[in-house]
Amino acid sequence: MNRPRKVGSLAAVLCAGADDTTPVTIPQEYLDAARIDGCGEVRVVFRVVVPMTRPAIAAVALFQFFSAWNDFGLAVEWNLTIAATLIAMAPVIIVFFLAQRAFIEGVTMTGVKG
């Protein structure tokens, strides 16, 4: 019997808070206050729990993306990867050096009052 694979998938990110081992804790008072205000369980999750755990969810999603990206990068030849990176970065660096004075003036003007 083939079981669905949860490790390294979006399901793992979405179900990360399904057990009691997660370090993110939400005070019970917030959940009770939402229930007193008339929220059902689903609404409590989407109106209270998700907004309060959004930074943790974002961090888990970011680490998962980096892990998947690194797995993909191991199959690529490094000399081609470095060459493609140089080709992609070269125009940006050239434009920055050509317009460096305008960038510096813009940064200094935003910090000056008066």
Side-chain angles (χ1 to χ4, degrees):
M1 177 168 127
N2 290 334
R3 298 179 74 186
R5 183 173 168 234
K6 289 186 180 177
V7 175
S9 66
L10 182 59
V13 173
L14 296 177
C15 295
D19 58 355
D20 292 332
T21 61
T22 57
V24 177
T25 57
I26 297 172
Q28 188 65 34
E29 290 81 14
Y30 287 116
L31 304 177
D32 292 339
R35 288 184 190 109
I36 289 172
D37 287 342
C39 291
E41 292 302 315
V42 174
R43 194 166 183 193
V44 168
V45 169
F46 287 108
R47 295 290 182 157
V48 178
V49 175
V50 171
M52 293 181 78
T53 59
R54 189 169 287 142
I57 292 170
V60 170
L62 185 66
F63 290 140
Q64 182 64 33
F65 171 76
F66 285 154
S67 175
W69 186 258
N70 288 337
D71 289 343
F72 173 73
L74 294 176
V76 178
E77 294 183 29
W78 284 107
N79 57 353
L80 296 177
T81 304
I82 293 172
T85 302
L86 180 63
I87 290 171
M89 288 178 52
V92 176
I93 293 171
I94 290 170
V95 168
F96 174 76
F97 282 123
L98 291 176
Q100 185 176 7
R101 181 172 291 156
F103 288 137
I104 300 297
E105 287 176 6
V107 170
T108 57
M109 291 302 290
T110 57
V112 176
K113 293 183 180 181

